[in-house]
Amino acid sequence: MGHECIDASKEFKFSEDVKSGVTEIVLVRHGETTWNAAGRIQGQIESDLNEIGQKQAVAIADRLGKEERPVAVYSSDLKRAKDTALMIADTCFCSEVIEVPDLKERHVGSLQGLYWKEGAEKEPEAYSAFFSSQNDLEIPGGGESFDQLCERSMNALEQIAKKHKGERVIVVTHGGVLRAIYLMITKASSAGKLLNASVNVVHYREEKWIIDSWSDVSHLSSVGFLQRGFDGDSKP
């Protein structure tokens, strides 16, 4: 797919090189949901933002509204992401939120709807597949493999980047998608915790990706967030 990671310290800064074809994408994980707080596995099932999640969406919208104005706001087509994106779009004076189905969360098969603490006992095969290092292994019950998630996520992101060459855009998505993007760009062995309403900035130029900043939640100091976040690298 032509994805290559390069050292940000040796490369461009967006403010200096915007006219030379750098795309800046601000990746945002949706605000906290009722199922996030309960430790329940969402996957592609809908779950509403809870009270804290709504406050997080306001906080991140306020932050991004004070930064350089984006030309567009994109979102997964799942409600928790769209609701977060709508608040951001309103504050950033963007007239619409553009839905991209390929930015939705990973389908985790028969794990969807279960609590993390009961996954290993109730669906051991699916639970094992989710945490497997075999990236082409599909999760039983109609779930995706990690490779399938990576391919659709990176392809969607690259299409956005190429459409907005030299511009700044915001993309609201999910923990599993952010993990896939981080691992694809960095080739790291772990993505760590992906926190609700976090800001994660990537740059794209000449078929190359770099991570400018990651998992920034400084705007949530007065709101709070789930410390456990989303961690697809270690079992709860």
Side-chain angles (χ1 to χ4, degrees):
M1 291 183 286
H3 312 306
E4 181 182 347
C5 177
I6 51 184
D7 186 350
S9 66
K10 298 177 182 178
E11 286 294 324
F12 44 80
K13 291 296 181 182
F14 181 73
S15 58
E16 300 170 357
D17 291 273
V18 61
K19 294 183 179 179
S20 64
V22 179
T23 305
E24 178 168 85
I25 300 180
V26 181
L27 296 163
V28 174
R29 186 184 175 203
H30 62 79
E32 183 181 311
T33 68
T34 53
W35 282 26
N36 287 150
R40 201 169 176 185
I41 305 171
Q42 296 171 128
Q44 295 184 0
I45 295 178
E46 295 284 17
S47 176
D48 289 331
L49 299 182
N50 61 15
E51 184 178 353
I52 292 177
Q54 291 170 5
K55 290 179 179 178
Q56 290 173 341
V58 170
I60 196 168
D62 182 62
R63 169 186 170 160
L64 294 175
K66 295 174 182 175
E67 297 179 359
E68 184 171 351
R69 182 176 173 180
V71 299
V73 176
Y74 289 84
S75 174
S76 152
D77 60 351
L78 294 178
K79 187 174 184 296
R80 55 190 183 270
K82 288 189 294 182
D83 287 349
T84 304
L86 284 168
M87 288 202 184
I88 294 170
D90 183 60
T91 305
C92 292
F93 302 102
C94 290
S95 61
E96 64 176 341
V97 170
I98 304 167
E99 293 181 22
V100 181
D102 280 345
L103 292 172
K104 65 161 55 78
E105 183 59 284
R106 181 181 182 181
H107 194 301
V108 291
S110 55
L111 292 177
Q112 296 191 160
L114 298 181
Y115 291 90
W116 281 109
K117 62 184 180 182
E118 65 183 3
E121 179 181 353
K122 289 192 172 182
E123 294 290 343
E125 189 178 351
Y127 190 81
S128 178
F130 179 82
F131 288 104
S132 175
S133 59
Q134 183 181 334
N135 291 340
D136 63 350
L137 183 63
E138 295 180 8
I139 300 175
E144 295 175 279
S145 70
F146 184 66
D147 282 346
Q148 289 170 333
L149 171 66
C150 287
E151 182 174 6
R152 69 168 168 85
S153 300
M154 290 305 297
N155 281 343
L157 201 64
E158 191 165 297
Q159 287 180 30
I160 292 171
K162 289 180 176 179
K163 181 178 180 180
H164 294 285
K165 185 176 181 180
E167 298 176 328
R168 185 177 203 246
V169 298
I170 294 171
V171 171
V172 183
T173 184
H174 305 266
V177 173
L178 288 171
R179 176 175 178 264
I181 290 169
Y182 183 87
L183 295 179
M184 285 293 290
I185 292 177
T186 66
K187 309 303 180 186
S189 59
S190 171
K193 295 179 180 179
L194 289 310
L195 303 172
N196 287 112
S198 59
V199 170
N200 312 272
V201 181
V202 296
H203 290 167
Y204 182 80
R205 182 175 67 178
E206 297 176 354
E207 306 293 321
K208 296 178 181 179
W209 289 98
I210 68 165
I211 290 179
D212 182 70
S213 64
W214 199 256
S215 202
D216 180 359
V217 289
S218 58
H219 50 285
L220 300 179
S221 58
S222 64
V223 178
F225 54 90
L226 283 173
Q227 295 285 344
R228 66 175 181 268
F230 172 83
D231 187 352
D233 301 307
S234 59
K235 298 179 181 180

